[in-house]
Amino acid sequence: MTHQPQQSPQFFLTAPSPCPYLEGQMERKVFTHLIGDKAAEINDLLTQGGFRRSQNIAYRPACENCRACVSVRIVVQDFKMTRNMKRVWQHNRDLIGRPQGAHPSTEQYALFRDYLDARHHAGGMSDMTVLDYAMMVEDTHVDTKVIEYRKRGPESFMDPKNDGELVAAALTDVMSDGLSMVYSFFSPHMPERSLGTFMILDHIERARAAGLPYVYLGYWVEGSRKMRYKTRFTPQEHLTANGWKRYEG
């Protein structure tokens, strides 16, 4: 008898654990492995169905008594910056964003560590080591980039090595219909730059230039202060029980 390889992903359910977004709630996730030559195709389909990627795992909430997590994607073609977003964009004109392969560096980890210690010191990622960070970046079977944002130096256009210090980075999946921002981090010592907002704006422009219709931001949770920023980037679409629905804010 010939063995036929498994073509369809197998899904598993996690045990309940405390929700990181809503106090008093418990969360469960359904997940599958993203491996093999169909990983990118499966990741596209699952992301369009509300899943997120973490290393070689695609997951989505499967909570028994809560449906607060809503998948969000920005509609690139119709997006227009607000006045405040234009100010953020102008303020960061001295930054250069360069896509790299999914290769971690000690410089990235130092910035990542600085970001976690300042912004998420009590979070689930707070004890990540340099090896954990390397796995987060490298363990991918899809088209993943690390977009590094550096201060523009006087020789930047002639010699990329003179781009200056790394101030922000985004781990981004390139999909058939958009860019998925898997994880981003930035220097916590430059609040005037609003680097988190800038990176989303930059991804919108990158998607527009590539002819991709969406930028996927992951989950928005109504009532969660840390998720509130995501609904500022309109128009966007939210995934509902009846498919993706337009949201204007």
Side-chain angles (χ1 to χ4, degrees), residues 21-167:
Y21 305 117
L22 298 177
E23 189 175 351
Q25 294 285 353
M26 301 295 288
E27 72 165 358
R28 299 189 79 177
K29 294 187 180 81
V30 61
F31 69 94
T32 189
H33 295 276
L34 294 169
I35 54 176
D37 56 4
K38 296 288 186 182
E41 179 183 338
I42 292 171
N43 186 53
D44 276 18
L45 292 172
L46 291 178
T47 303
Q48 292 158 11
F51 280 71
R52 294 288 287 165
R53 185 185 70 81
S54 177
Q55 296 178 221
N56 67 355
I57 298 290
Y59 68 91
R60 68 167 296 170
C63 307
E64 295 175 4
N65 302 310
C66 181
R67 296 292 182 269
C69 291
V70 178
S71 294
V72 171
R73 65 186 186 187
I74 301 166
V75 181
V76 169
Q77 182 177 352
D78 299 337
F79 174 79
K80 290 182 175 58
M81 293 188 198
T82 64
R83 184 177 301 176
N84 180 64
M85 290 173 183
K86 289 178 181 177
R87 283 197 293 267
V88 171
W89 186 257
Q90 287 297 116
H91 191 60
N92 289 286
R93 289 185 65 186
D94 62 333
L95 299 186
I96 298 175
R98 294 194 192 278
Q100 315 285 336
H103 309 302
S105 69
T106 54
E107 188 181 21
Q108 291 169 17
Y109 178 71
L111 180 64
F112 174 73
R113 188 73 264 164
D114 199 16
Y115 172 78
L116 288 183
D117 291 344
R119 301 286 295 261
H120 302 286
H121 63 276
M125 302 173 74
S126 59
D127 58 351
M128 285 181 66
T129 67
V130 65
L131 293 178
D132 295 326
Y133 175 77
M135 287 294 291
M136 183 177 81
V137 174
E138 290 178 331
D139 196 1
T140 175
H141 292 257
V142 305
D143 185 4
T144 301
K145 306 294 183 188
V146 178
I147 303 178
E148 294 186 340
Y149 297 89
R150 298 177 180 275
K151 285 185 179 179
R152 192 190 308 272
E155 308 296 330
S156 295
F157 293 106
M158 294 180 287
D159 182 0
K161 294 180 180 178
N162 289 324
D163 278 353
E165 71 172 298
L166 181 68
V167 300

Side-chain angles (χ1 to χ4, degrees), residues 111-230:
L111 180 64
F112 174 73
R113 188 73 264 164
D114 199 16
Y115 172 78
L116 288 183
D117 291 344
R119 301 286 295 261
H120 302 286
H121 63 276
M125 302 173 74
S126 59
D127 58 351
M128 285 181 66
T129 67
V130 65
L131 293 178
D132 295 326
Y133 175 77
M135 287 294 291
M136 183 177 81
V137 174
E138 290 178 331
D139 196 1
T140 175
H141 292 257
V142 305
D143 185 4
T144 301
K145 306 294 183 188
V146 178
I147 303 178
E148 294 186 340
Y149 297 89
R150 298 177 180 275
K151 285 185 179 179
R152 192 190 308 272
E155 308 296 330
S156 295
F157 293 106
M158 294 180 287
D159 182 0
K161 294 180 180 178
N162 289 324
D163 278 353
E165 71 172 298
L166 181 68
V167 300
L171 187 64
T172 301
D173 288 346
V174 182
M175 298 167 37
S176 61
D177 70 340
L179 301 178
S180 177
M181 298 185 70
V182 176
Y183 194 80
S184 58
F185 52 96
F186 50 86
S187 170
H189 309 299
M190 304 175 178
E192 73 286 351
R193 284 185 175 271
S194 300
L195 289 168
T197 295
F198 172 72
M199 280 192 285
I200 295 176
L201 295 175
D202 182 68
H203 276 68
I204 294 170
E205 293 309 309
R206 288 176 184 274
R208 198 194 306 273
L212 298 172
Y214 301 112
V215 171
Y216 288 83
L217 293 183
Y219 300 117
W220 167 68
V221 180
E222 188 172 10
S224 172
R225 185 176 59 84
K226 66 174 71 173
M227 294 288 193
R228 195 177 302 157
Y229 73 92
K230 294 187 179 183

